[in-house]
Amino acid sequence: MSAVATMTDLARLLQAFFCQFLMQQRHASPETVKGYRDTFRLLLHFAERYTGKSITGLSLSDLNAPLVLAFLEDLEMQRRNTVRSRNARLAAIRAFLHYAALEAPTALPGIQQVLAIPMKRFGRPLVGFLSREEMEAVLQAPDSHTWSGQRDRVLLATLYNTGARVSEIIAVRRVDLECERAQALHLHGKGRKERVVPLWKQTATLLRAWMLRIGPEPQQPLFPNRFNQAMTRSGVASRLQCATKAAAKQCPSLRDKRISPHLIRHTTAMHLLQAGVDITVIALWLGHESVVTTHQYLEADLKMKERALAALQPPETTAARFKPSDTLLTFLDSL
């Protein structure tokens, strides 16, 4: 008997979901496929422990609501995942089950119970960002007398200028720097979304000088490591930590702050907002799919709120005090 003939409905549907639906029909990006893959690796290993069956023996009916709920609880309690991560895993499971419901309609009653599991609400903290003085201290911190220090200066300046995600900045190649005068940078964003971000004169000057220090090939990583390979996420984070530690000697307020490449992205957005750049332009600058995402920076800008409050003159008239009718009071008391 062939291996295909012995596959369970779950194994068959999962393979079809990844190969036919995600990759061929939706043409999902490699990062999306990896995210879904990681979710199902975790889920299948958990299901193996939960049901006592081997992974190859699991069927679609085993992925019922009690199992998925237990899996989500395990993510939060045992693996210490955030609610955001928990919701992302649930979204991947939902996507698969929507596909499975069309391919195996007899399993629909059980699938509907899993699809009824809600996303968990969570508090959204205010966006953190660096002041202009703190950002300037970080940018000036790398040692310009060494090759790695020169690279770090250009890397951090470009990261701040573009507001790029760390995945975008490490993917940049020499060919992505537009024109000889380095006036713009082509970024390859999430979900194959691409955008071109203009460069400030100072950033362009640093990049033109840096281009002389790296290989001339079009696919040469713009920010290579010591092996001339593209830097990793952890490599960028490590170099930023080194720069922050050095900058804290001149700027003590940096000592108690946890600074990541994504915080630099938030800082770019906040500084553009404070400079009076329209929020729709900032959304394009950062590569946000929706302006709703960019509104979090408006909420975080306390200085802007204070300016709005100062500009608002209180009315001189005194408002009459509201006196509810007996009927309204009776209604309210009944609630």
Side-chain angles (χ1 to χ4, degrees):
M1 187 176 292
S2 67
V4 175
T6 60
M7 287 174 63
T8 64
D9 58 348
L10 177 61
R12 176 179 57 80
L13 286 167
L14 265 178
Q15 287 194 14
F17 173 70
F18 276 93
C19 298
Q20 296 174 19
F21 180 71
L22 279 184
M23 297 180 183
Q24 294 181 16
Q25 297 177 25
R26 284 191 56 188
H27 199 45
S29 69
E31 293 300 319
T32 298
V33 173
K34 288 178 183 177
Y36 278 59
R37 175 204 65 191
D38 292 344
T39 293
F40 282 96
R41 277 180 174 174
L42 292 171
L43 178 62
L44 292 175
H45 282 297
F46 178 83
E48 185 179 40
R49 300 192 304 270
Y50 186 88
T51 64
K53 296 181 180 181
S54 66
I55 291 178
T56 54
L58 291 170
S59 64
L60 181 60
S61 61
D62 290 318
L63 297 188
N64 52 38
L67 184 147
V68 173
L69 284 169
F71 170 65
L72 296 174
E73 182 179 3
D74 183 77
L75 290 177
E76 290 191 79
M77 304 306 295
Q78 301 301 321
R79 296 183 64 85
R80 301 297 181 185
N81 285 181
T82 63
V83 174
R84 191 189 298 270
S85 297
R86 177 259 193 202
N87 287 346
R89 301 298 186 197
L90 178 57
I93 296 170
R94 281 181 171 181
F96 166 67
L97 290 178
H98 277 296
Y99 172 81
L102 297 175
E103 298 294 320
T106 55
L108 188 56
I111 289 175
Q112 286 178 325
Q113 291 181 1
V114 179
L115 294 178
I117 298 173
M119 293 290 182
K120 183 175 285 190
R121 295 176 65 96
F122 59 94
R124 187 186 294 273
L126 286 177
V127 172
F129 62 98
L130 301 180
S131 68
R132 293 180 183 275
E133 294 75 17
E134 290 171 335
M135 191 68 241
E136 185 62 30
V138 172
L139 293 176
Q140 296 299 324
D143 185 359
S144 60
H145 295 93
T146 65
W147 181 89
S148 61
Q150 292 173 5
R151 179 206 57 199
D152 292 350
R153 280 203 173 199
V154 185
L155 168 66
L156 296 178
T158 307
L159 200 62
Y160 173 54
N161 184 154
T162 61
R165 301 175 180 90
V166 67
S167 60
E168 295 170 342
I169 206 71
I170 62 178
V172 171
R173 306 286 170 170
R174 187 182 181 108
V175 70
D176 294 320
L177 190 61
E178 296 206 346
C179 305
E180 294 182 0
R181 299 185 63 184
Q183 295 178 332
L185 189 65
H186 195 140
L187 296 176
H188 306 271
K190 294 171 63 177
R192 294 195 176 91
K193 298 182 184 70
E194 299 184 1
R195 67 188 187 278
V196 177
V197 182
L199 297 174
W200 301 323
K201 185 179 296 185
Q202 185 177 7
T203 309
T205 300
L206 288 172
L207 279 167
R208 286 197 298 272
W210 175 244
M211 296 278 277
L212 303 175
R213 304 297 305 273
I214 61 175
E217 299 80 12
Q219 295 303 316
Q220 161 74 38
L222 194 59
F223 303 111
N225 59 20
R226 58 180 175 173
F227 304 109
N228 203 37
Q229 301 296 318
M231 296 180 72
T232 62
R233 291 169 178 265
S234 59
V236 174
S238 176
R239 299 311 301 171
L240 176 58
Q241 289 302 316
C242 289
T244 302
K245 185 176 180 181
K249 297 176 182 178
Q250 305 298 325
C251 187
S253 62
L254 289 169
R255 292 173 185 168
D256 299 325
K257 292 192 175 183
R258 184 179 179 182
I259 300 176
S260 66
H262 208 71
L263 184 69
I264 305 301
R265 176 173 165 84
H266 290 327
T267 299
T268 303
M270 291 303 301
H271 290 181
L272 288 171
L273 183 65
Q274 292 169 348
V277 178
D278 187 85
I279 194 167
T280 57
V281 176
I282 298 174
L284 291 171
W285 197 292
L286 298 183
H288 285 164
E289 189 170 3
S290 170
V291 180
V292 174
T293 307
T294 320
H295 269 282
Q296 62 181 320
Y297 301 111
L298 283 173
E299 297 171 0
D301 191 357
L302 182 59
K303 289 184 178 179
M304 184 171 288
K305 293 175 183 175
E306 291 174 345
R307 289 197 299 269
L309 183 64
L312 180 63
Q313 297 297 323
E316 297 180 358
T317 59
T318 303
R321 185 173 180 178
F322 171 68
K323 295 182 180 180
S325 66
D326 292 341
T327 305
L328 180 56
L329 283 175
T330 302
F331 164 72
L332 292 175
D333 291 340
S334 69
L335 295 178

